[in-house]
Amino acid sequence: MKPHVLQLNPILVPSINVKLNERYTMHRLFEQADPEAYVAEHGALMRGVITGGHTGITRAMMERLPALEVVAVNGVGTDAVDIAYARERRLPVTGTFGALTEDVADMALALLLATCRHIGAVDRFVRGGLWPRFPQPSALPLARRVSGMRVGIVGLGRVGRAVAQRVEAFGCPVRYTDLKEIAEVPWAFEADLLRLARDSDALIVCAAADKARDLIDAPVLEALGPRGFLVNVARGRLVKEADLVKALQDKRIAGAGLDVFADEPNVTPALLDFDNVVLQAHRASATEETREAMGEMVLESLAQALAGQRPTHSLTT
Ligand code: 8YV
């Protein structure tokens, strides 16, 4: 009999779904009209869970799955999983570590370029037929040069390093902050986030959000200053959104590029009003290539755990 696996989020790669269906009896909770009733009825069967980085899994849900042997996160952020409880139950919680690094770093660069060069605002200008109506160059403000910008990276994990490498190719001096200095990297460490913000033209948030929240608040934005840009490809709650809105309203920062938000999929409405803000829908890892690689890692983790082995990409066991 095939093991039963509960899937909390859709996977958009057909080949991965084919393999999941071949190997497991899949229970796609997001397709159920009444997910609560579904878990009540079938929860006891589930040996594996697949969830997304943002969705994670609560203790309450894991408690309803007594036969659970593995939580496979289709992502790298495990901040939404109750890790302490998983450890208590000796459950492996796996991630797709390394699979999405390049794409998330690419998204950080895309957001930095789009924000500094007004890509979104000018696209709206052209699309809206405004160019022929306002052909004079003064209709659009001058943009900002990205090449050579001083870039501050908040959190120098895999993604932070990949961002650093990319902006170096743009001739940008890089500094970073993290919990502690990292010995083997060529970039300058700055322990004080306020000082990093003050000495940066762009701050790029790449940190894990397991413990931290509201790292980027009014004082940090004030230090970044009216010519500074903020990019966030990590987690929304690392930025105090009310402070960001206020800083944008008061023109205390120059702009922001955001892929992640505090209350996804709801975006603080005020953020929609700024022309100097570029918004994405938590899509930094959403390429065919990366999502396929992530899916393969999920398959590998399920197979290992359900064969009684320690999954290679387990964080907890
Ligand atoms: C994904 C993420 O969007 O890896 C993470 O932690 O948040 C994103 O890559 C998500 O996990 C997709 O399920």
Side-chain angles (χ1 to χ4, degrees):
M1 209 178 59
K2 294 195 281 189
H4 292 263
V5 170
L6 184 66
Q7 186 182 344
L8 306 187
N9 294 120
I11 287 182
L12 301 180
V13 183
S15 62
I16 301 296
N17 287 316
V18 167
K19 290 180 192 174
L20 283 170
N21 291 335
E22 275 167 10
R23 297 175 199 177
Y24 305 108
T25 302
M26 294 302 298
H27 300 264
R28 298 192 162 88
L29 198 59
F30 50 90
E31 287 174 356
Q32 306 309 322
D34 185 347
E36 280 296 312
Y38 193 87
V39 174
E41 193 181 337
H42 303 282
L45 294 171
M46 305 304 156
R47 292 179 58 196
V49 157
I50 304 174
T51 185
H54 178 67
T55 307
I57 185 166
T58 60
R59 176 182 183 133
M61 175 66 104
M62 286 188 273
E63 280 172 347
R64 299 173 73 191
L65 311 174
L68 194 59
E69 290 169 54
V70 58
V71 174
V73 178
N74 187 29
V76 293
T78 50
D79 48 297
V81 177
D82 191 327
I83 294 288
Y85 176 69
R87 283 212 168 97
E88 232 173 75
R89 263 180 73 176
R90 296 181 171 283
L91 279 177
V93 175
T94 66
T96 61
F97 310 115
L100 48 67
T101 309
E102 309 303 328
D103 277 354
V104 178
D106 288 355
M107 178 62 93
L109 262 289
L111 285 171
L112 181 65
L113 286 161
T115 308
C116 294
R117 299 302 304 266
H118 305 166
I119 301 292
V122 179
D123 180 83
R124 289 189 287 276
F125 179 82
V126 174
R127 231 175 255 281
L130 295 178
W131 198 6
R133 283 174 56 200
F134 303 99
Q136 59 281 24
S138 58
L140 293 167
L142 293 177
R144 288 282 301 285
R145 175 190 289 170
V146 171
S147 294
M149 247 181 184
R150 296 167 306 161
V151 171
I153 297 185
V154 180
L156 200 75
R158 288 186 183 88
V159 170
R161 290 173 207 212
V163 171
Q165 286 163 352
R166 281 158 176 71
V167 295
E168 272 199 326
F170 281 74
C172 298
V174 174
R175 300 171 75 76
Y176 73 95
T177 193
D178 208 310
L179 298 178
K180 55 178 180 5
E181 185 164 7
I182 296 159
E184 73 273 20
V185 299
W187 307 294
F189 174 63
E190 176 54 76
D192 180 6
L193 175 56
L194 278 178
R195 204 172 302 146
L196 182 75
R198 200 192 56 210
D199 294 340
S200 298
D201 300 305
L203 266 192
I204 305 188
V205 183
C206 306
D210 298 87
K211 295 189 185 81
R213 61 179 309 131
D214 294 342
L215 270 186
I216 310 294
D217 57 5
V220 174
L221 295 166
E222 188 72 33
L224 185 58
R227 290 183 58 77
F229 293 88
L230 178 74
V231 169
N232 188 5
V233 289
R235 282 290 184 265
R237 66 174 163 282
L238 293 172
V239 175
K240 215 169 172 179
E241 264 173 25
D243 289 7
L244 175 61
V245 167
K246 186 85 177 67
L248 287 160
Q249 274 161 352
D250 299 346
K251 302 198 173 2
R252 289 177 184 278
I253 67 163
L258 308 170
D259 183 46
V260 286
F261 303 87
D263 179 30
E264 294 170 10
N266 306 303
V267 174
T268 300
L271 285 172
L272 309 178
D273 295 340
F274 302 109
D275 237 10
N276 55 344
V277 173
V278 177
L279 303 168
Q280 283 290 293
H282 199 145
R283 280 176 57 78
S285 70
T287 67
E288 293 173 10
E289 293 82 356
T290 283
R291 286 294 167 86
E292 183 174 357
M294 289 164 69
E296 289 293 347
M297 286 176 84
V298 165
L299 285 163
E300 186 189 5
S301 296
L302 287 175
Q304 289 172 329
L306 298 182
Q309 299 157 8
R310 179 195 172 272
T312 316
H313 308 292
S314 171
L315 192 78
T316 47
T317 53

